[in-house]
Amino acid sequence: MNITLKVWRQKNAQDKGGFKTYPVANVSPDMSFLEMFDVLNEQLLAKGEDPVHFDHDCREGICGMCSMYINGKPHGPKDAVTTCQLHMRSFKDGDSITVEPWRAKAFPVVKDLVTDRSAFDRIIQSGGYISINTGGVPDANEIPIPKKIADQAMDAATCIGCGACVAACKNASAMLFVSAKVSQLAMLPQGQVERKTRAERMVAQMDEEGFGACTNTGACSAECPKEISLENIARLNREFYGAKLKSENV
């Protein structure tokens, strides 16, 4: 396959940035999208040019690092896959592919396709934890939890924090991410100690980071590589308003 890449290049957060076009020849359909970028960077290095900077780690769809906005969609044209799981057979010979970083005030560009997503870390630090000691795995497994509740908590916990929900949202809202992290703990007995304050603190931190408001368009869930349900946003709203009714921070 021969393709044409239109890649966003930006030296740093202060640089204006812009698209640059690169032809890439002899691309195997079995390559992942990131492997194709490896080939491009090898070509650029051979020419003495600066390679395209992009985030990656596990390349197994687990870490959430491979955040690329491909042809107008977070992680590309396939549903329920991350960029590293996207293969070049999803495109055609001669295709032109536009690649951008996440576009959100709370995710400033570091360089090229790399964005600073530490805002998510600060949201987790504000309340996405439990303070009780459950002991080892056998001890924790002795706590009875109905299967339906356990399944819902596990579904929420599959969120990898990639930020695709923010990139897909016209408001750059982080509600799906925050709701998943609140839900996975709020439904379990281990998460009850901080339950009254968790949602309040995490939503406050989300607002402080500059994420937009949720207007229920559903784009976040539709583009989520782990298919996190919008039901979690409804649960977050219940948790938040319930906490506000009992809160001293009014």
Side-chain angles (χ1 to χ4, degrees), residues 49-178:
E49 299 181 27
D50 190 31
V52 178
H53 289 67
F54 61 92
D55 270 330
H56 65 95
D57 191 1
C58 71
R59 299 202 178 199
E60 295 179 350
I62 299 172
C63 70
M65 294 292 290
C66 55
S67 49
M68 292 188 187
Y69 204 78
I70 304 167
N71 283 349
K73 294 188 67 176
H75 294 300
K78 303 289 286 185
D79 293 333
V81 297
T82 53
T83 300
C84 61
Q85 295 175 307
L86 179 67
H87 289 83
M88 296 311 297
R89 54 180 170 267
S90 300
F91 303 93
K92 298 178 182 178
D93 183 37
D95 274 358
S96 178
I97 305 173
T98 301
V99 187
E100 306 169 70
W102 287 170
R103 302 289 192 183
K105 177 183 178 182
F107 290 160
V109 173
V110 176
K111 185 170 184 178
D112 296 337
L113 304 176
V114 179
T115 58
D116 180 357
R117 291 175 295 144
S118 59
F120 273 7
D121 297 330
R122 290 187 289 273
I123 290 173
I124 294 296
Q125 290 166 2
S126 70
Y129 53 83
I130 59 173
S131 60
I132 64 171
N133 183 4
T134 61
V137 174
D139 300 317
N141 285 341
E142 289 180 357
I143 301 174
I145 301 171
K147 184 178 186 304
K148 181 179 178 180
I149 299 299
D151 288 345
Q152 289 176 339
M154 183 60 70
D155 288 344
T158 59
C159 169
I160 57 177
C162 67
C165 52
V166 176
C169 178
K170 65 179 183 179
N171 305 320
S173 172
M175 281 288 282
L176 192 68
F177 166 77
V178 175

Side-chain angles (χ1 to χ4, degrees), residues 151-227:
D151 288 345
Q152 289 176 339
M154 183 60 70
D155 288 344
T158 59
C159 169
I160 57 177
C162 67
C165 52
V166 176
C169 178
K170 65 179 183 179
N171 305 320
S173 172
M175 281 288 282
L176 192 68
F177 166 77
V178 175
S179 68
K181 298 307 178 184
V182 166
S183 292
Q184 72 183 62
L185 298 176
M187 291 185 288
L188 299 177
Q190 295 93 331
Q192 300 309 303
V193 175
E194 287 86 15
R195 184 171 183 175
K196 293 180 180 179
T197 58
R198 180 180 295 112
E200 188 179 8
R201 290 175 179 175
M202 293 180 73
V203 168
Q205 186 65 40
M206 175 183 69
D207 292 340
E208 184 178 331
E209 296 294 343
F211 291 103
C214 175
T215 50
N216 296 310
T217 63
C220 54
S221 182
E223 299 297 343
C224 175
K226 298 303 177 182
E227 300 181 301

